[in-house]
Every structure is written in structure tokens, then in C-alpha cells.
Amino acid sequence: MGQKVCDVVTVPFAVGGGIGSIEDMQELFKIGVNKVSINTAAVKNPDLIKQAVKKFGRGKIVVAIDGKRIPRAVNHRGWRW
């Protein structure tokens, strides 16, 4: 899918979902993706962020955090991370 988007989009864009390794990122950058978004892999392997930034630069890596609204939650004004 990333390649199809690269073929038609003229603005910078990020790809996320299922990215769990430096090799995954390398493949996406090869086809023209501007940034990669890491979520679950960043939680499971925080060192992956350091490795990715070292290899590709901090401008190429985004860490995504999905929040969930919890009614009457005490922390974070009702948001749970």
C-alpha cells in the first residue's frame, strides 16, 4: 500500500501499523515513505526507538500513542494511555 500512496501523493506522509523492526522501516523508506509511526513495537521494545533514530534520524520516526477516554478516571483528566 505504501508504494501506491508514494506514486500519487505529493506531500510528506507517514506510514504506521505492523512496523516492528529496523528492516521494516528500511523497506518503507526505500519506496519513498517520509516517516514511520511506531506504536506497539515502541512499547514492547523501547530500544527500537533509539536504534531507529540513530539509523534514520529523529525527523523520520514518530511514536504514536492511542489514548482511551475513561469516564471518572482519576489520572490524566479521564484519559488512560
Side-chain angles (χ1 to χ4, degrees), residues 26-74:
Q26 185 90 35
E27 290 301 313
L28 289 166
F29 291 134
K30 272 190 206 176
I31 62 170
V33 170
N34 301 96
K35 296 182 183 209
V36 295
S37 177
I38 308 166
N39 189 337
T40 302
V43 174
K44 290 182 177 181
N45 179 12
D47 197 50
L48 180 62
I49 302 164
K50 291 178 188 174
Q51 294 170 9
V53 168
K54 186 175 181 180
K55 183 164 182 76
F56 305 112
R58 66 182 183 168
K60 294 283 195 178
I61 310 301
V62 175
V63 177
I65 299 171
D66 296 331
K68 181 178 181 181
R69 182 88 168 140
I70 308 292
R72 298 192 193 129
V74 180

